[in-house]
Amino acid sequence: MKKQIYKLLLLSIVFTLLVGCAPSAPKESQEETIKDNEISFMIPDWGAPTPEMLDDFKEKTGITVQVLPTSWDDIRDKISVAAAGNTIAADVFEVDWSWVGEFQGADWLLPIELSEEDQKDIPTVGTFTINDTIYAIPYANDFRTAYYNKDIYSKAGITEAPKTWEDVVNNAKNIKAQGISEYPLSLPLNADESATTTLFWLAYTRNGIVFNDDNSIHKDSILDALTLIDRMNRDGLINPANRNASGMDAYRQLTSGDASFLVGPSSFVSRVNNPEESQVIDQVEPILLPGKESQSTATVPFPEAIGISKNTKNPEAAKEFVKWYTSKETQKKLNEELNTIPTRNSVLNELIESGVIKNSGAMVELAKMVESPFPNGVPKYYTKMSTEIFNVINQMANESLTPEEAANKIEENVAKVVEENK
């Protein structure tokens, strides 16, 4: 009996020693090693790097990137649902300019370090900076640019580009009176996000302010912008269909040749000369935004960025990817492959000077004039606030509210949202 017990003990010791000396690491350790070299990236199709680009990144860094192409509308919801379940939708993901306050407030984003030199080269990074901390890096530029159709202006006998909004309105009335264009101007008036952003850039570029330091609405500036929108709408210079059409449909009235003047996304610098999208090839010039008494000295950005999940298991790999994805070389490649407008001014200048981006007009100058209308950064309650604002704008566009009534409602509604989120 004692011999049997001794044999069993001896076998147990030998087995333990063999296992302890095994060359392969425990399963958990193997998984951690793999994860350290793999990250996931959730991005709309328009921002997804090509397989060749990702292969090059892997060759340089040893990091594998799993791209999760996701529609823009679904990304915010997926990130929110994952966070509620203490998981992540992706290690790195799209951060729209309008989401950054909400994402940062919910503690979903890891702070990102960026050199002063890079911050100067990417001025729109200010949109993603809260309390002096950067939470996402812009990869696709979008700042409001003014466009006018030189051919339509010429037909109407107008020889100069508009410099003030009075010029814009008077020119539009002239063009309409001559029957050259029934609706010479285009602005989004539907109850959606594009109406809110229109109010913001118009108020800011005319008056230099939208919100007070306590995040309340600057009523005088808002009323000024609403009055101008109402005037153009009631004078029949804007297509009534815009009250129900998407913002993009309103912008496309420039490429269709229906509108002679538009303030819209910077992407239309390329769109107006793309034969697949435009009927006004070589007719449209990008210019500075008009102001009250002269051209405006500012424009407002609405860029796309990428951020890192606060709960990523692979922060170093994620940081390395963000650094690569927003680098000069990658921005050039994204423009080549996806027609993305670079957020780095150095790259934008290079592409324009080399002729890669044609018909740039005032694009370079505008890229240096970007300013955020949010004195304290984009607030976490932006989505709710925007809904309150665009519904009021749409009511005014349908002539059920005066500009004064609309300004009062916006001031009151925004004040309530701010108070609820203190």
Side-chain angles (χ1 to χ4, degrees), residues 165-179:
W165 278 100
E166 281 302 309
D167 293 340
V168 172
V169 172
N170 291 333
N171 291 343
K173 288 181 176 179
N174 188 349
I175 291 167
K176 184 179 179 72
Q178 295 187 49

Side-chain angles (χ1 to χ4, degrees), residues 103-170:
F103 285 17
Q104 186 273 336
D107 203 25
W108 295 341
L109 294 169
L110 194 69
I112 300 175
E113 293 184 3
L114 196 65
S115 70
E116 288 188 17
E117 181 182 353
D118 283 336
Q119 290 184 51
K120 290 179 181 178
D121 199 25
I122 311 175
T124 49
V125 75
T127 302
F128 303 91
T129 302
I130 300 175
N131 296 327
D132 298 323
T133 300
I134 299 170
Y135 288 96
I137 310 296
Y139 72 88
N141 226 340
D142 182 11
F143 46 84
R144 285 302 172 261
T145 302
Y147 304 89
Y148 85 105
N149 188 307
K150 297 177 292 185
D151 283 19
I152 293 179
Y153 266 52
S154 179
K155 288 178 183 177
I158 306 169
T159 58
E160 294 183 350
K163 295 182 178 180
T164 68
W165 278 100
E166 281 302 309
D167 293 340
V168 172
V169 172
N170 291 333

Side-chain angles (χ1 to χ4, degrees), residues 12 165 197 201 210 212 232 234 236 238 246 325 408:
S12 176
W165 278 100
T197 55
W201 65 250
V210 176
N212 300 312
M232 294 186 290
R234 289 179 184 267
I238 302 173
S246 69
Y325 187 78
N408 287 337

Side-chain angles (χ1 to χ4, degrees), residues 203-225:
Y204 191 84
T205 58
R206 282 174 64 84
N207 307 300
I209 190 169
V210 176
F211 296 96
N212 300 312
D213 289 340
D214 62 357
N215 283 346
S216 63
I217 280 287
H218 191 285
K219 186 177 176 182
D220 289 344
S221 180
I222 290 296
L223 176 58
D224 170 73

Side-chain angles (χ1 to χ4, degrees), residues 327-339:
S327 68
K328 292 181 180 181
E329 289 306 313
T330 303
Q331 288 220 336
K332 291 178 191 176
K333 197 66 178 177
L334 288 173
N335 174 264
E336 177 185 338
E337 298 290 344
L338 307 174
N339 292 315

